[in-house]
Amino acid sequence: MAARALLLLLLAVAGWQAVLGGEDVITITGGKKELEALVKLHPFVVIEFYAPWCGHCKRLEPEWAMAATTLKSNDPPIVLAKLDATEEGNEDAKARYRIGGFPTIKMFKGDPNRPIEYEGPRDEAGIVRYLRKQVMPAYTQLASAEAVKAAAMEAADLLSCASRPSHQDVLVVAVLEAAKGRAFDAFVEVAEALRNDIDFVVVTDAKLLPECSGGCKAPSLVMYKAGEEERPRYDGKFDAGKLRTWVARQAVPLVIRPDTPAGSKALQKLGRATPRLVVAADKASPELVQQLQALSKANEDLAVVLATEQRQLDNYGLTLDCTCKQELLIEDPKASHSLAAAQVEGAKEGAKYLQSGASVADASGFIKRYQEGKLERYVRSEEPPADNNGPVFVLTAKTFNETVFKGDRDFFIEFYAPWCGHCQLLAPAFEAVGKKLQDANDDGVVLAKFDCTTNDEPSHAKLVVHGYRTMYFVTATGDVYSYDGDRSEKDLYKFITYRRTTEPGPLPSKAADAGKQAGAELKDEDSKEEL
């Protein structure tokens, strides 16, 4: 049995080498077993799960190939592979790693049971830089006051610094007695988990840290954040779970700016679980930012977002007015209620509260009324069109849940903005597919569009709109699949055929009505003949 297993492994390696003869990306065709053998053979393997029809996958393919060529001679080695998740032979691998969208990239460090999500860039240079960082230590140990000062200045002021190559907006300095032991192991575990968003440094002499001139007890943490003077400190128990929770929470900017890389990343990390105060203002003056930072520190359970561009505000239904007054909006996913029984069971809908024509001085009172439950809920929705029988059905916030989750049809939905160029390019092909379904009297699949600039986005956990255009296919059984393929009519229709759960043709109720009508007409004809 052992000899047979060894033979299979050698054959697999030979097959991979044959593939490598043509390119430097290994192609996995043998599903879960071949994937496991590859991961166990190499210390660091990165696998792209893709679909041939996926537009993003096609754009990634040349970048992935060039990155593989660059990384094949890396020390330590980094192996890049790809797996067609639509092939029958790879179905078990797709199911095991719960691949629901394409491309999905997972990293493996010798253990097929512990995949790590890839959250890096999609261009060759970015892929190489990101993956090289994954095989480097997750922290840097600094031994001089000058190096510590330079690292702190870079984190706080975004100055260039040769001592840290990653240039993150957050730096965490661990003050430890030694680079070993329980406290050190807990710190390293957290650094490994958060290395993609935060830089970590270790010092074993508290005197090297300016903030510890008055004395820092080891073990402890000090955090530096871009644009903020405050230096959060942690002196509690050095347990990996507690450390990670503290670091992740404190790393969120006091005032999140969607127009900055750090702010955009922070919003993605927050997801929809944290209530937030959104402030719409015509500009981010230093005075306003300072006021909002103070407000954020006074309300730690509420994330504060400052948006100054209309495209950012479209996501919240806010508009800048000529009086330069702010608008205040609180989004609270916890203040939720169950949807109608006809919709997806267990779905929740967050609440919003709005105060227009406000100033930042009104924010404290606004938050207090929110906490006391004295604010009236705000829902943004346009009215459904009087005539909604076109090739593409128009969804609104008022009609979305009761229509999409009724359970009788599949919906292919585009979430768009009227000003979006990609959305405008998609429109002709999307309408052509809708007309094709109408002409075929196929009611099982509905093409629909949802204007995110005039409607609150649906609160379904899987219907997250990251940008325009965003497209989802929602089946009659409630499953949700994202679409990131080509915009051609052919590819759109092919995706519908692949994902649909309903039978082509009219709905059963319509077919029954048509049958009754045909029967009635036939009876009328018989009556005429008798006369």
Side-chain angles (χ1 to χ4, degrees), residues 463-477:
L463 294 175
V464 180
V465 180
H466 293 299
Y468 309 122
R469 58 181 169 80
T470 294
M471 302 178 72
Y472 286 104
F473 192 90
V474 183
T475 69
T477 55

Side-chain angles (χ1 to χ4, degrees), residues 15 51 64 68 75 120 128 246-247 321 326 340 356 364 393 398 418 450 452 485 504 529:
W64 199 243
D75 185 19
V128 169
W246 183 86
V247 171
D321 59 34
Q326 287 94 36
S356 298
S364 295
F393 189 84
K398 290 181 178 179
F450 185 91
C452 295
E529 289 178 5

Side-chain angles (χ1 to χ4, degrees), residues 437-459:
L437 293 172
Q438 281 190 334
D439 291 344
N441 198 23
D442 187 350
D443 299 320
V445 177
V446 178
L447 266 69
K449 60 183 180 180
F450 185 91
D451 187 346
C452 295
T453 68
T454 55
N455 295 277
D456 280 338
E457 296 169 14
S459 58

Side-chain angles (χ1 to χ4, degrees), residues 73-96:
S73 58
N74 193 76
D75 185 19
I78 300 174
V79 175
L80 268 59
K82 62 182 180 181
L83 182 151
D84 183 349
T86 66
E87 284 189 359
E88 185 176 352
N90 289 326
E91 281 292 330
D92 56 353
K94 175 186 174 183
R96 176 174 183 176

Side-chain angles (χ1 to χ4, degrees), residues 238-261:
F238 254 57
D239 169 84
K242 293 182 183 298
L243 288 178
R244 181 169 179 173
T245 299
W246 183 86
V247 171
R249 179 66 188 92
Q250 293 297 327
V252 177
L254 287 173
V255 177
I256 300 173
R257 300 282 306 282
D259 57 333
T260 66

Side-chain angles (χ1 to χ4, degrees), residues 16-67:
W16 295 328
Q17 294 302 325
V19 173
L20 285 171
E23 59 179 58
D24 296 311
V25 177
I26 295 177
T27 300
I28 298 173
T29 58
K32 184 172 66 173
K33 288 186 178 179
E34 188 176 336
L35 185 152
E36 289 177 347
L38 178 65
V39 169
K40 291 176 181 178
L41 187 65
H42 298 281
F44 189 35
V45 178
V46 189
I47 302 174
E48 175 207 0
F49 296 81
Y50 74 97
W53 44 258
C54 163
H56 288 303
C57 302
K58 292 176 183 178
R59 287 188 286 276
L60 174 63
E61 185 174 4
E63 306 294 333
W64 199 243
M66 289 188 291

